[in-house]
Amino acid sequence: MTNVAAPAVDTHCPYCALQCGMRLSGARVEPREFPTNRGGLCQKGWTSGALLTTAHRLTTPLVRVGGELVSASWDDALDLIARKLSALRAEHGPDSVAVFGGGGLTTEKCYLLGKFARVALGTSQIDYNGRFCMSSAAAAGTRAFGLDRGMPFPITDVTRADVVLLAGANPAETMPPFLQHVRNAANSGGLIVVDPRRTPTAEQATLHLQPRPGTDLALALGILHAVVADGHVRGDYVAERTTGFEAAWRIAAAWWPERVERVTGVAAADQRRAAALLAGADRAVVLTGRGTEQHARGTDTVSAWINLALALGLPGVAGSGYGCLTGQGNGQGGREHGQKADQLPGYRRIDDPAARAHVAGVWGVDPDSLPGVGRSAYELLDALGTEGGPKALLVFGSNVVVSAPRAGHVADRLSALDLLVVADFVLSETARRADVVLPVTQWAEEDGTLTNLEGRILRRVKSVDPPDGVRSDLSVLRGLAVRLGQPAHRFPDDPDEVFAELRRASRGGPADYSGITPERLSAGEELFWPVPDEDHPGTPRMFLDSFAHPDGRARFVPVDHSGPAEPVDDEYPLIATTGRVLQHYQSGAQTRLVPELVDAVPEVHVEVHPDTAARAGLVEGAWARVVSRRGATRARVRLVASARQDTVFLPFHFPGAQRANLLTNPALDPTSRMPEFKVCAVRLEVMT
Ligand code: SF4
């Protein structure tokens, strides 16, 4: 078992993108000073040591025999996988094998996973769960600024801002230590929160704008309209540093606040107040979260908030700006180094010939041998086992049976595979369906780098030995690659060796890590990418002189409101929206192992306005059946007087019949391919 008597090590939390600093002594956690948490930890971080001693730990590979998962040796398990993959590739071609990664994996794992897919398997079919949570902001940031680094400034710029607008984010529950950074704004009357729910974050706001779900794009247009109509546009900034204002304004001009009020339910006076607060600040920051992104028009919605920030002259100005609050622990690094269907390491596009040539050179392969763009995450899952779709899937760091939209259908697609392989440290809901389960190291049992929500590269340090029988994901990839005919040296399993190669692969790319060394990180240097050489100090603030488009200017993008993909009707009269609670993280695969967290929140609930519940015949504490066009889930009723009467909310951390994602709509954003987790039409029923 895990060695829990290990010496104290300074490292970082296993969960979210704040990557709070902690000191770990075996399984004992203490907070430590770090710029993002300043000595704070949330309940998830405080209790994370329990992951290292969980009784549910897997310590031997499992292979399905006669319908049961039974123990196997590593050689037998890896031989079996390689044999089946080789047979499928020979019969159906390389795209018959798919890979699914995760935004919680270290950057080294993300990098090697992408290389493994493209080189060892030759498949284009690789994507990851970050497609479900950050891809719309990444797409909107890229089209506005020419490059996406979620928050292109240090978190201290948020700390000092007089006004902070938080759109679709609830850090009081998702990353509580972050709230310190908006305290100045809150204390000086400048915290604006946009959220259909009166969340614990909204409780602290100066101004809570509570739009109907799926209408926040219209709300952003209304505030932009007020900014222009009330003479708050920064004309000099717009003229010198941007293009496209006129086209964006032609649309916003038709969205005067009273019209927006009719669509969103947000009072026109509050829209004007938000505009005035933002315009009157010396330092203002606009931040967006999953609430803006997880829509069939999520990229456009984020663009609407960026347009507002540009009209106010915020991006690329020290102390102000626009940023995305990245969610997963390595959500930023995970999207930069090659596990995304359309990208190669260094945040390069896989369809760019120069990028292919550079990366192929580092990998020692022919650029023409590299596959092209593959299916996005949901499209990949939807195609599993279909005619022309992948017949085998390898999952690393993801629990799609709980976290994917239309989860019942996704589970059915997994059942249609010839081979499902899951690498995890416990038997997640997805692993339970696998043909082969590979027990891998977790968090504190290995070294690795991550990039936090600021674009800061940091090191998680090995602090305990893994249990006997467990291997690192890097070792698994190497073992499989060799069995598939690759030379061993092409797939190193030492994190430092992988990082050294990643630095070369990223050189010259948008996310250039080539100047980052383990020594610089260990010495405590604050390194924000790009860091193009070892003498470069890194780039805490991007875009100060110019944006990353060839003309150096940011782009207004003309976007208009069209509403959610699935409207309500008589049969499904309510809007369901999903999100997180303080005690659990993502699919709950980790936090549901921690007794304190499970004791606090053991089951799913549905937040309902008392009048809405009464109309459905439901009372506090009853079990409700929540039904959408795709499935039904059961949830404990929680009456919330501040809820919108047309909206119910469910957290998505729970398995089985309590999965909120049995309901959700996989309507995809046309640019980011992100599903519309945040809006679907439902009805409530009494459970009999
Ligand atoms: Fe910090 Fe996030 Fe970990 Fe909580 S879950 S301790 S906010 S990194």
Side-chain angles (χ1 to χ4, degrees), residues 145 149-165 184 234 237 241 277-287 306 308-324 540-544 547:
F145 310 125
R149 196 183 85 191
M151 198 190 279
F153 44 80
I155 204 162
T156 46
D157 284 5
V158 183
T159 323
R160 296 190 197 111
D162 315 307
V163 173
V164 175
L165 183 146
N184 178 47
R234 282 287 309 276
Y237 173 97
R241 301 209 56 189
L277 277 172
L278 285 161
D282 287 336
R283 295 159 172 259
V285 169
V286 173
L287 298 171
I306 293 176
L308 173 66
L310 289 170
L312 291 160
L314 307 181
V317 172
S320 292
Y322 160 78
C324 150
R541 289 182 187 80
M542 300 180 78
F543 312 136
L544 291 181
F547 294 98

